[in-house]
Amino acid sequence: MNAAIVLAIALSTPGAEVTESSGTGCSLLLRFDAPVPVDAPGGGWYMEIPGVPLLFAPGQVVIPVERLYIPVPPGAEPGMEFSIRTGLSGNIPGGRPYRTPGLAGSGLETVEVPVEPVGGPGATVEYRGVIPLAGSQYAVLDVYPWL
């Protein structure tokens, strides 16, 4: 794997450090700040981690997610292993966590609609598959640091 590409991944992901890189793969170490509770509109709360995007999926609790794009050499089959060195903890407020509402309509006619609550991700790291991007193949991983 091209070291420049692995370095670009690390630089584009806050808190990421390449710990090992070779022709057969790479190891990344991801660090995250402690989550902070945020009051949600209309009541409830969600956890936010500075510098990490939030996932707002209808019916799901709002959670931080870091998406990684890792180059896959031609003809290679991506694989993944992960371990959690230390879990994140934060002061969980009382009340209920905020769930993202559904949306109906379009443009200025868009309104929030109730949706059935659904479960969130099933693991701290989820492999989303391989996608073509800029003439290369990339494995897509979603990391949920607060699960």
Side-chain angles (χ1 to χ4, degrees), residues 28-118:
L28 302 173
L29 175 63
L30 302 175
R31 291 186 175 94
F32 298 96
D33 291 335
V36 178
V38 175
D39 291 332
W45 54 269
Y46 59 88
M47 298 303 269
E48 188 174 77
I49 298 174
V52 179
L54 295 170
L55 174 64
F56 290 88
Q60 286 187 3
V61 171
V62 176
I63 57 173
V65 60
E66 187 70 59
R67 178 162 278 182
L68 302 175
Y69 297 90
I70 301 173
V72 178
E77 283 293 321
M80 173 186 76
E81 292 180 25
F82 71 93
S83 63
I84 300 171
R85 292 191 179 177
T86 42
L88 292 179
S89 61
N91 295 327
I92 299 175
R96 61 181 169 74
Y98 179 72
R99 288 189 182 272
T100 306
L103 299 176
S106 62
L108 297 175
E109 305 298 320
T110 302
V111 294
E112 291 184 2
V113 296
V115 293
E116 289 294 317
V118 295

Side-chain angles (χ1 to χ4, degrees), residues 4 12-13 17 28 36 66 68 115 127 131 144-145:
S12 67
T13 304
E17 175 186 334
L28 302 173
V36 178
E66 187 70 59
L68 302 175
V115 293
Y127 172 66
I131 63 166
Y144 303 96

Side-chain angles (χ1 to χ4, degrees), residues 125-142:
V125 179
E126 289 185 337
Y127 172 66
R128 296 291 183 189
V130 175
I131 63 166
L133 183 65
S136 297
Q137 298 290 316
Y138 289 81
V140 180
L141 300 177
D142 284 344

